Amino acid sequence: MEWITTDKPVPYRSAEAMMEARVAEIIAGRASEAVWLLEHPPLYTAGTSARPEDLVSPHRFAVYQTRRGGQYTYHGPGQRVAYLMLDLNRRGKDVRAYVQRLERWVIATLAEFGVTGQIRPARVGVWVERPDKPRNPDGAMHEDKIAAIGVRIRRWVTFHGISINVDPELEHFSGIVPCGIRDHGVTSLADLGRRVPMAEVDAALMRQFGLIFEAGGQKAGIQAAGSPGSGAPDSGATRRR
């Protein structure tokens, strides 16, 4: 199991190419699983269920069609993206269970910073209640989305993963209808009053990954840098663990 962290924003197509290469190597048995922590420059991505009318500002940022599940989402600086390239052949061939683990991973990570994330059956992603905001017209408490989830699987090896809003420019989400959900907003750790360095978010993600994904609650193994077939970008801003 290898952890890859890239400090500089990674162009979206470059990230896709890296995932494609690494997944091919995992399928061929020439590379270990990997979790890649990164940020992107400001951009929008359209999942396989994206509706054209949900792209409100088509000329604001680059828009990328992608084969992950879901609808439109925003990526940009201040948002921690985690791309998981995991082999479900050995972890269990159950897509629903895998997505539920992603949800639990995000919720457990947020809890380290005093934020209670929740799942809503009719809405993908992870949500937080906002008692500081006016209630909805139906009297229900307002809720904002703090993390998105989108996956793709080939021969039971995973692509894509999660994104957590740490301190992005939230106004950038106004160019789309995030995940096709019009009646709710977006938030971030910073917006909730948690000014957390990205390195602390990464450390929490690593801790909680071991508890959520590894059998028996054991922490994820750390593979040495430069493993064969890693497919990771060759950059001084990229670290492998």
Side-chain angles (χ1 to χ4, degrees):
M1 174 71 196
E2 183 179 21
W3 286 89
I4 306 165
T5 305
T6 301
D7 294 329
K8 296 179 180 179
V10 179
Y12 192 75
R13 291 305 186 207
S14 297
E16 281 193 319
M18 182 275 180
M19 283 190 285
E20 289 280 353
R22 185 62 175 245
V23 166
E25 292 291 284
I26 293 170
I27 291 171
R30 293 191 293 265
S32 66
E33 298 177 308
V35 179
W36 187 15
L37 305 177
L38 68 151
E39 296 172 82
H40 288 299
L43 56 89
Y44 299 129
T45 64
T48 55
S49 302
R51 299 186 297 256
E53 62 269 24
D54 288 341
L55 182 58
V56 179
S57 301
H59 304 297
R60 185 171 188 183
F61 299 126
V63 180
Y64 295 94
Q65 301 293 322
T66 179
R67 286 176 282 181
R68 63 158 175 80
Q71 302 187 40
Y72 280 104
T73 193
Y74 165 77
H75 293 307
Q79 182 189 73
R80 176 49 89 214
V81 174
Y83 289 143
L84 294 86
M85 290 148 278
L86 303 181
D87 187 356
L88 300 186
N89 289 288
R90 70 178 187 84
R91 292 179 177 270
K93 295 179 179 181
D94 188 328
V95 177
R96 179 175 296 181
Y98 172 61
V99 172
Q100 289 173 341
R101 284 184 176 180
L102 292 176
E103 294 169 342
R104 288 164 51 205
W105 185 34
V106 172
I107 289 170
T109 298
L110 295 174
E112 291 206 20
F113 306 107
V115 172
T116 301
Q118 301 187 47
I119 301 303
R120 295 291 179 256
R123 292 183 254 132
V124 297
V126 177
W127 300 79
V128 295
E129 294 183 338
R130 300 299 303 269
D132 55 315
K133 291 187 175 183
R135 287 183 173 266
N136 296 334
D138 63 359
M141 186 176 295
H142 184 87
E143 296 180 345
D144 286 336
K145 189 172 189 176
I146 194 167
I149 296 172
V151 304
R152 178 185 167 207
I153 297 173
R154 178 191 298 156
R155 293 176 63 181
W156 294 105
V157 178
T158 67
F159 295 73
H160 299 279
I162 67 169
S163 59
I164 298 176
N165 296 333
V166 179
D167 190 12
E169 176 52 69
L170 293 179
E171 196 278 331
H172 288 177
F173 285 88
S174 66
I176 57 172
V177 178
C179 299
I181 300 171
R182 295 181 178 275
D183 298 329
H184 298 275
V186 292
T187 190
S188 66
L189 288 173
D191 184 48
L192 297 172
R194 275 71 169 182
R195 297 282 178 178
V196 182
M198 195 67 78
E200 291 187 19
V201 175
D202 291 348
L205 284 166
M206 291 180 185
R207 281 190 295 270
Q208 296 303 325
F209 182 93
L211 299 174
I212 302 298
F213 282 91
E214 299 303 319
Q218 298 299 312
K219 289 193 175 183
I222 304 299
Q223 181 168 309
S227 59
S230 68
D234 184 11
S235 167
T238 295
R239 303 182 301 281
R240 302 184 182 92
R241 298 178 178 86

